[in-house]
Amino acid sequence: MAHTPTVLFVCVHNAGRSQMAAGWLQHVAGDRVQVLSAGSAPKDQINPVAVEAMAEIGVDIAGNSPKVLTTEAVKESDVVITMGCGDACPIFPGKRYEDWKLDDPAGQGIDAVRPIRDEIRSRIDALVAEIAPVAA
């Protein structure tokens, strides 16, 4: 049986970028990837503008909630993608780490969040093609 890769998205508040990325990855890859997200200093709720931006394209992240980053989440992940959380993420050998430089949707209106959402989608498509391609 093939290994299902686990991807962890980490940002500071786990309320915008990492939640949108997790929603996109789940939407695009389905059960071919296990998706986690967390924040180094999570907020109490997801950014409502991020929820709205994702809902526009048919991805529902409204039921998600910000989670605190744990060492266990990093250990169980194959790929760890950080988004502006600095050195808060522990580093373990054998993991693939990427840092995605993306604007923070916090405090932004929907017109500013849509391009962030779309940039995340293009990065998710490239990631899925590498780690969980569809069988021919």
Side-chain angles (χ1 to χ4, degrees), residues 12-79:
V12 176
H13 300 302
N14 191 220
R17 295 167 288 191
S18 56
Q19 291 286 349
M20 290 191 293
W24 265 130
L25 182 55
Q26 196 69 65
H27 179 76
V28 171
D31 61 3
R32 291 179 291 142
V33 176
Q34 181 181 354
V35 182
L36 304 172
S37 72
S40 53
K43 290 279 193 190
D44 57 349
Q45 67 178 22
I46 295 181
N47 179 337
V49 182
V51 171
E52 178 185 355
M54 294 302 287
E56 287 180 348
I57 46 85
V59 178
D60 182 8
I61 62 170
N64 298 357
S65 60
K67 294 167 211 59
V68 69
L69 176 63
T70 64
T71 301
E72 291 74 32
V74 178
K75 281 184 179 176
E76 76 178 71
S77 300
D78 300 294
V79 180

Side-chain angles (χ1 to χ4, degrees), residues 81-128:
I81 298 174
T82 58
M83 303 170 176
C85 63
D87 296 328
C89 191
I91 305 291
F92 293 101
K95 308 286 178 201
R96 173 177 167 178
Y97 291 88
E98 293 184 21
D99 185 42
W100 289 1
K101 304 279 189 226
L102 297 162
D103 290 336
D104 189 343
Q108 304 286 338
I110 190 69
D111 290 335
V113 174
R114 286 183 186 118
I116 300 167
R117 173 200 67 200
D118 297 343
E119 172 66 19
I120 292 170
R121 171 63 193 253
S122 68
R123 292 174 187 229
I124 290 295
D125 287 343
L127 180 67
V128 169

